[in-house]
Structures are given as C-alpha cells and as structure tokens.
Amino acid sequence: MNTPLKRFLSCAGTGSLMILLAACCKEVPPPQTILPVPSEQQLAWHELEQYAFVHFTTNTFTGKEWGYGDESPSLFRPTAFDAEQWVKTMKEAGLNAVILTCKHHDGFCLWPSRYTEHSIKNSPFMEGKGDAVRAVSDACRKYGLKFGVYLSPWDRNFAQYGDSAYIDYYRNQLRELLGNYGEIFEVWFDGANGGDGYYGGAKEQRKIDNTTYYDWPNTHAIVRELAPHAVIFSDAGPNVRWCGNEKGFAGDPNWCTISIDTLYAGKAGIEDLLNHGAEDGSSWTPAEVDVSIRPGWFYHSEEDDRVRTPENLFDIYLQSVGRGANLLLNIPPDRRGLLHENDVQALLAWKKLRDSTFAVNLAAGVKATSNSYRGKSKLYAASNVIDGNKDTYWATDDHQTQGAIEIDFGRPQKLSYVLIQEYIRLGQRVKSFNIEVWTTGGWVNVAEATTIGYKRIIAIDPVETAKIRIKITDAKACPVISNVEVY
Ligand code: FUL
C-alpha cells in the first residue's frame, strides 16, 4: 500500500478501509447498510464477549439469595477481602470486564453512599472506612478490565420504596456510582420486583407498576450524561437485552435485533422473544447471557461442591458467545471476601480448555475462494475472511442472498469447530447456512445452523478433510462475512 494512503488510514481508522478503497479505485460500492446497526458503544461491547458478574452483599453472610432489607450492616464482615484476587483470577480466566452488584434487592450499599446509613460505612469492614466499589473498580483499572455496575431498582430496605421519593434516591445513588468510579462500560438494571420487604420497618407487601414507576427514560438520561460510553442493560434493553433465561444459553436463531416496544421489564411470556430476538426488529439490542458458576447468585458454602465443571462452562460458552451473544458469568466471593478455590480452579481449567481448543486456526494463511463475489471485485473476495482483518469482508451482489465460501487447507486436517463472523457494521443478515466437508465421495453436509451475527461457533463431529464449504442458504440481504476460523 502506498504511504499517503497508509497515513490516511492510520488517522481514519481501518473501518474506513473498504469505503475508501471503493471510492478511490472507482470500484464496486460496498453493500447497503441493513438497519438497524450497532452503535460504537455496542460494537465495543460485542468485542468484550465474556466477562464476570459479582454478587456480594449481606446475603453472603446470611446465606440468603434475596435479603429482606432488615439485615444489620454489622453482618457484613469479610475476613480477608481482596478485590485484586478476584480481578486477577478473572483476567487469567480470559474475562474482559466485571459487573458488581453495588446494591442488590436488600438495599445494602457496597459503597459509602451519602444518601443512606444502610451501607458498608456502618459495617465492621475496615471499621466503616471501606468501599468495595472503589476496590473493585481500582483493581479493574490495574488489570485492564472494564468495570460495570448493578444497582437494583427494587430496594427492600428503603422506607419510601413505592413513592416518588425513592426514584430521587435511586437516581442520586446512580449519580454517585457513575460519577465517582471512573469509566463504566455497562449499567445493569435488574427487572425483579418481588413485593414484600422491610421498607424502613413497615414490613409489608408493596406493589409498583414496573412499566411506569421507575420512569426509565429519565434514569437512562443520567447514564447517557455521566457514562456516555456505557451500554444500558435491562430485560427490555435499550442497548443490551436479557437472553430470557438464567441457564446459560442464547437462542438459535439469535437476532441482535428486536423491537423494544414489544418488551417491557417484568412482562411475562416474552422469554422466547428475548432468547431469539426478532429478524425484523427495529432496534439493535443484542442478548447477554447471565448465568452463575454455582446454583445461587450469592456464595453459600453448601454449594462448594456444586461449582460448574470446566466442560459445562465450555458448553455455556458455545451457547452464548458461540451464538453471537455475550456471556456474563457470575462468580460470587465467599465470606472471606475471596473467590473460592473451587471456583478459581474451574475458571482456570475452562480457560485452558478454550485455549487448547482454539489454539491453531487451520484457516489462517490457506486458500479461500467463492463461487461468486460482489461485482467480481477483489475488494469483496473470499480471501478477506481469512486475512485476520476484521474490517475486510466477502460479500455478494445485492440481489444475491445465497453464496458459498470454500476453504482449502492444502492437505487433510482434523477439525471440530468452525467460527464465522458477520460484518455487523452493515447489519445482521444471515438467516441460515450449512457447513460441508470434502470427502472422496464429494461434499458432505456436517452442520446446519441459522443466524451468525457478531460471532458463531459451530461444533462438528471431529472429521479429517482437506476442504470445507460454508454455504449461506438464506439472508435478509446479500451476505457480508468478515471472518472465518477453523479449529
Ligand atoms: C435477578 C435477581 O433477582 C437475582 O437475585 C440476580 O441478581 C439475577 C442476576 O437477577 O433478577
């Protein structure tokens, strides 16, 4: 590439590569964008792929999952609290961010909020001088992980929960979290509203209308103002949606698109819609898969021998990241304030399994061809899917919603996984595809699947073959594939 062009690209960013080359070479223009498309924040979020959830509060010390709200702050007394041990372990496990339950439904705050006495400042931990949100966010910065916050809308401690005074309180707390702990990558708004609680001593049932009570648009505005890089998660988005279950799987198909007005937090019967998204959805609101490494979200010593195995975590990875969703894996610290040895062991063995499975990309540097490509221009040739550049892609002509890429390894290779990525900056397109392997008797179909999106990983029965073919059999518009890897 000539030097002025190179200089331009290093300023403009590689994202402009295809448009620039198409323009200056008077070449075939790139495919039209299929709306909706991800924002820059969402693109950065997709690239995080897997990260940690941390549930930690007085529940850790009472054994509960949902504190009633009357737990004394004196219960919160971790004996060897070490946020760096958590974050260092997470980094070693290949997790790229942490979302901390700064306040769960019981209302106890892990930071010394100036708006309540129900917090870490009235606990024995560091004689009331501690701030767990600070410790975790600092550790994240030290180890290069992103940091996000969970602030439960349902608060079973606060006397005025149910009144407008609580909404002011909630927003003040949100301002504290978003304003004082550095960059926030995701704000997690939970949808649970169970009803009964302590509520400042009232000890009663309180029902709110969760479609109106929280006045979400005005709370979201605070996030936009104080954390412009953050994505907002809730059951109903707007930036990231719940995957509809806490079992560890996104749907197949899994569309990153959905129409937000078909959803609202807490609405029953939409789990399936959340799990699959909607092909014609009007908003880019991709799925996040939240699941715990143990049966509970909080630590309970009786679950020490029920930590998920590395193999089970690997399956969850394939069913979340491998289906174009992000994985939010909960790892709850114990009463010492440490990740338990069993959890650490499982996490590191899971990482080893991923590393060994995806160690050598058999498609790197081999030959990729296609039966057709856009305007017969090299800009859109199949070789782009194996060049290691996420900003180049294979695409077909506009009218063509089918097409095939052939990858020739040059010699027989044993393979078990095929990884495919769409160039989602131009929208999610592929509706169905299959994978074939070359045998002495010709092409044999070994897998059929639906959507691709940001990333799709297909496990096939291990097979020895010199060539594979990925056949896009249906798409919303001409397919645009940026990456293929084979393991
Ligand atoms: C749910 C909560 O009720 C659980 O306690 C947990 O925090 C989970 C991640 O979200 O809605």
Side-chain angles (χ1 to χ4, degrees):
M1 195 183 292
N2 69 48
T3 325
L5 185 56
K6 230 181 189 170
R7 234 180 285 125
F8 174 87
L9 283 175
S10 67
C11 301
T14 46
S16 335
L17 178 64
M18 302 297 277
I19 297 165
L20 179 81
L21 287 181
C24 75
C25 310
K26 289 209 171 40
E27 277 268 11
V28 181
Q32 290 246 312
T33 301
I34 295 296
L35 293 173
V37 293
S39 65
E40 288 302 319
Q41 289 101 316
Q42 287 172 317
L43 283 166
W45 174 88
H46 277 289
E47 291 186 358
L48 291 173
E49 300 190 359
Q50 65 278 331
Y51 37 89
F53 214 179
V54 174
H55 277 67
F56 193 45
T57 182
T58 47
N59 291 348
T60 311
F61 303 88
T62 60
K64 292 185 198 165
E65 275 290 306
W66 279 8
Y68 190 65
D70 60 350
E71 296 78 18
S72 165
S74 66
L75 292 167
F76 186 82
R77 46 171 76 237
T79 49
F81 177 87
D82 184 359
E84 290 206 9
Q85 182 253 3
W86 314 357
V87 176
K88 197 165 164 283
T89 305
M90 291 160 183
K91 190 183 172 86
E92 281 166 12
L95 298 170
N96 297 316
V98 179
I99 297 179
L100 175 67
T101 54
C102 301
K103 178 183 87 167
H104 201 248
H105 311 328
D106 54 84
F108 181 79
C109 299
L110 289 183
W111 80 104
S113 171
R114 52 189 277 229
Y115 300 101
T116 180
E117 293 305 305
H118 197 56
S119 86
I120 201 163
K121 73 183 172 201
N122 288 317
S123 79
F125 174 61
M126 294 177 73
E127 292 164 347
K129 301 277 179 295
D131 181 342
V133 179
R134 175 83 53 217
V136 179
S137 57
D138 282 353
C140 282
R141 251 172 296 284
K142 177 166 172 186
Y143 289 97
L145 274 71
K146 303 264 181 214
F147 178 65
V149 296
Y150 171 125
L151 182 69
S152 170
W154 183 29
D155 188 320
R156 303 174 95 188
N157 172 264
F158 197 72
Q160 284 135 308
Y161 180 81
D163 293 347
S164 63
Y166 173 70
I167 303 303
D168 295 338
Y169 172 75
Y170 184 78
R171 289 182 179 156
N172 282 332
Q173 294 198 320
L174 191 60
R175 284 194 186 90
E176 285 184 315
L177 291 175
L178 302 182
N180 297 322
Y181 296 94
E183 193 178 305
I184 304 292
F185 88 99
E186 178 166 334
V187 183
W188 217 88
F189 292 119
D190 181 76
N193 283 283
D196 66 320
Y198 176 69
Y199 305 125
K203 299 187 183 170
E204 60 188 15
Q205 279 271 342
R206 287 196 184 164
K207 287 227 157 70
I208 52 102
D209 177 352
N210 61 11
T211 62
T212 55
Y213 176 59
Y214 296 113
D215 178 23
W216 286 117
N218 283 307
T219 299
H220 292 171
I222 297 172
V223 180
R224 288 282 71 93
E225 177 200 330
L226 296 176
H229 300 298
V231 289
I232 299 173
F233 166 95
S234 84
D235 287 8
N239 307 133
V240 176
R241 72 174 196 265
W242 185 42
C243 71
N245 67 70
E246 294 177 339
K247 298 192 181 122
F249 65 93
D252 180 10
N254 176 28
W255 291 97
C256 292
T257 49
I258 203 160
S259 295
I260 300 272
D261 56 10
T262 62
L263 314 166
Y264 58 82
K267 185 167 149 185
I270 55 166
E271 288 78 4
D272 210 46
L273 176 60
L274 287 164
N275 196 237
H276 293 288
E279 182 188 323
D280 58 355
S282 56
S283 153
W284 188 274
T285 307
E288 182 182 77
V289 173
D290 62 320
V291 63
S292 188
I293 196 167
R294 291 163 168 256
W297 291 101
F298 288 91
Y299 175 84
H300 310 292
S301 57
E302 64 273 21
E303 292 177 356
D304 281 350
D305 57 0
R306 298 182 65 195
V307 174
R308 289 183 186 277
T309 61
E311 292 74 21
N312 180 247
L313 291 172
F314 187 78
D315 285 344
I316 287 177
Y317 172 79
L318 291 181
Q319 288 167 17
S320 53
V321 176
R323 288 184 181 172
N326 274 6
L327 170 60
L328 175 58
L329 178 65
N330 181 62
I331 314 138
D334 62 17
R335 290 185 179 179
R336 294 171 300 175
L338 296 173
L339 300 189
H340 189 272
E341 290 74 0
N342 295 1
D343 304 48
V344 173
Q345 221 180 10
L347 284 171
L348 298 181
W350 170 51
K351 173 67 160 62
K352 224 168 146 186
L353 203 52
R354 273 147 54 218
D355 284 351
S356 59
T357 306
F358 303 115
V360 180
N361 174 12
L362 301 170
V366 298
K367 207 169 113 202
T369 52
S370 57
N371 52 357
S372 65
Y373 51 102
R374 196 171 178 76
K376 297 204 166 38
S377 162
K378 277 202 180 126
L379 266 182
Y380 310 105
S383 53
N384 288 332
V385 306
I386 54 165
D387 66 357
N389 181 347
K390 65 181 180 179
D391 292 307
T392 61
Y393 49 78
W394 166 76
T396 58
D397 286 329
D398 284 331
H399 63 273
Q400 212 179 312
T401 51
Q402 297 187 330
I405 302 171
E406 199 177 302
I407 297 181
D408 187 341
F409 307 112
R411 63 190 166 95
Q413 295 279 18
K414 192 155 179 213
L415 31 128
S416 313
Y417 295 90
V418 179
L419 181 157
I420 311 171
Q421 295 187 275
E422 277 185 86
Y423 187 72
I424 55 173
R425 279 179 188 274
L426 294 180
Q428 185 176 358
R429 294 151 179 265
V430 175
K431 293 203 244 183
S432 60
F433 67 100
N434 62 349
I435 298 171
E436 297 169 331
V437 299
W438 180 251
T439 68
T440 43
W443 291 106
V444 172
N445 193 18
V446 291
E448 289 196 28
T450 59
T451 50
I452 297 176
Y454 168 73
K455 183 174 274 190
R456 187 73 205 252
I457 306 174
I458 302 287
I460 56 176
D461 285 340
V463 60
E464 199 165 291
T465 181
K467 287 195 285 191
I468 67 159
R469 190 157 73 177
I470 298 165
K471 270 169 105 173
I472 309 294
T473 47
D474 197 9
K476 281 171 79 172
C478 71
V480 182
I481 305 293
S482 67
N483 187 38
V484 174
E485 297 169 22
V486 179
Y487 298 95

